[in-house]
Amino acid sequence: VQLQASGGGLVQAGGSLRLSCAASGHTFRNYHMGWFRQAPGKEREFVAATRQTRPGVRYADSVKGRFTISEDNAKNTVYLQMDSLKPEDTAVYYCTSTRENSMRPIPTNIYDYTNWGQGTLVTVSS
């Protein structure tokens, strides 16, 4: 399984970026696809993730209403549209995936995810 993230860059506060993650080695079916981020000196934290078996999404409270996760199943690509960016959104963003457990909510714990991309840096200037 390979996850290739792209789309990071430098943007001013209030601006937008769209991250992409192309997956190879598995389709989205029966997998959670998600994004985490890690700011300098901080632990990696959950941002957003999807569920396929009972379609849904979950967001961290800090990004709710500003970020949107979406998928293009034909391209095996998951996106993270980030609007109204703030300096505190500055971090390396990681794409991730894991097999679904339909009996459980969308996971937010880093240890629940098994596949990770290399990360893409997002810098938001004030």
Side-chain angles (χ1 to χ4, degrees):
V1 175
Q2 284 192 331
L3 302 173
Q4 183 71 38
S6 61
L10 174 64
V11 64
Q12 288 188 333
S16 298
L17 278 176
R18 188 177 80 157
L19 305 183
S20 300
C21 175
S24 60
H26 73 69
T27 64
F28 291 168
R29 185 177 180 182
N30 296 327
Y31 275 80
H32 295 295
M33 300 299 300
W35 293 91
F36 279 68
R37 67 186 181 185
Q38 188 166 16
K42 295 188 176 180
E43 294 185 349
R44 196 171 297 188
E45 64 176 7
F46 173 78
V47 175
T50 65
R51 180 177 56 209
Q52 309 299 318
T53 54
R54 290 181 291 125
V57 297
R58 188 171 184 179
Y59 295 97
D61 288 343
S62 58
V63 306
K64 203 171 293 183
R66 301 188 298 121
F67 290 12
T68 304
I69 188 171
S70 63
E71 297 169 337
D72 184 333
N73 290 335
K75 295 182 178 180
N76 230 32
T77 300
V78 61
Y79 303 99
L80 185 68
Q81 176 67 40
M82 305 185 295
D83 298 318
S84 301
L85 282 161
K86 305 175 181 180
E88 50 264 43
D89 294 318
T90 295
V92 177
Y93 283 72
Y94 295 91
C95 178
T96 185
S97 71
T98 194
R99 281 194 175 272
E100 287 190 21
N101 181 337
S102 60
M103 303 300 292
R104 296 180 57 191
I106 297 173
T108 61
N109 191 307
I110 185 174
Y111 299 106
D112 288 323
Y113 287 85
T114 55
N115 305 307
W116 293 89
Q118 85 287 3
T120 184
L121 176 63
V122 173
T123 304
V124 184
S125 63
S126 57

